[in-house]
Amino acid sequence: MATDVVELILADHRKFEELFRALRDRNTDRSTVLGELAALLVAHAEAEESEVYPALKRYKEVDNEEVDHGAEEHAEGHQALLALMQVEDTSSDEWESKLEELVEALNHHVDEEERTILNDAREEVSDDRRDELGRLFVEIRQSRLDDDCGDIEYVRKIAAATKDRID
């Protein structure tokens, strides 16, 4: 299993894309897939913000403004995720619209994070430190998953707590 934090984050990003494809398919159990996405998305963001982002801000070659912006985009993602989770009819136009809002917000974040923060980390942070951060990332992400962080009440709580980060 990979332990490089950059590779682990990239793997989660690819999983998000896979889950989005499944959510766009009207023949899948959208509620189940949304639960899987919610859990992974929240756990991923919280692991990045608790360990990875603070560590990367200590490197002068890593753009601190981009790291802070990444946390803002997590907050936007939490808002969009909650909005989608609150729509009960997964076959409705409203659900489709909220899904596209979430996809757009997340794709924007993933693109920026990969081009800036992760590229900087890959170039400027030693292999050993990236492995250490990777182990911490996995540990925290799994802890959040074990705590059922994809539950709508948890998502409501973090959406409320992070609302002030959004510009």
Side-chain angles (χ1 to χ4, degrees):
M1 182 177 111
T3 56
D4 181 322
V5 71
V6 173
E7 296 308 316
L8 291 165
I9 290 171
L10 290 172
D12 278 1
H13 289 176
R14 302 299 77 83
K15 182 66 176 179
F16 297 150
E17 292 165 358
E18 176 185 317
L19 292 168
F20 285 148
R21 282 190 294 279
L23 287 169
R24 285 180 166 141
D25 182 351
R26 291 179 179 263
N27 296 316
T28 60
D29 179 350
R30 288 174 153 182
S31 295
T32 299
V33 175
L34 180 57
E36 185 180 346
L37 174 68
L40 183 59
L41 187 57
V42 170
H44 174 96
E46 289 190 344
E48 281 185 339
E49 289 183 35
S50 68
E51 292 295 333
V52 179
Y53 282 6
L56 293 180
K57 286 179 80 167
R58 292 188 204 103
Y59 289 85
K60 66 180 180 188
E61 295 84 4
V62 176
D63 188 334
N64 285 349
E65 287 182 23
E66 285 298 332
V67 174
D68 291 339
H69 183 64
E72 289 171 15
E73 289 179 341
H74 286 166
E76 291 169 0
H78 296 325
Q79 297 297 321
L81 175 62
L82 179 60
L84 178 60
M85 293 176 83
Q86 292 179 134
V87 179
E88 292 183 22
D89 183 357
T90 62
S91 64
S92 70
D93 288 343
E94 179 185 15
W95 199 90
E96 296 285 345
S97 174
K98 297 297 182 192
L99 172 61
E100 289 313 311
E101 289 173 20
L102 175 59
V103 168
E104 185 177 315
L106 219 34
N107 283 343
H108 171 81
H109 169 68
V110 163
D111 178 59
E112 279 191 359
E113 186 176 68
E114 289 181 7
R115 284 186 298 108
T116 59
I117 299 168
L118 297 182
N119 277 341
D120 287 350
R122 186 180 282 128
E123 292 173 14
E124 303 300 334
V125 179
S126 73
D127 292 350
D128 288 344
R129 182 64 174 137
R130 287 196 324 267
D131 285 345
E132 180 184 345
L133 287 172
R135 286 188 293 278
L136 290 168
F137 175 81
V138 168
E139 181 181 314
I140 290 167
R141 184 182 59 184
Q142 189 60 52
S143 170
R144 297 306 191 275
L145 289 169
D146 292 346
D147 289 343
D148 198 20
C149 66
D151 175 76
I152 192 166
E153 292 308 317
Y154 191 88
V155 175
R156 277 190 180 108
K157 184 177 92 174
I158 61 167
T162 60
K163 192 172 187 148
D164 62 331
R165 286 192 211 161
I166 301 170
D167 292 329

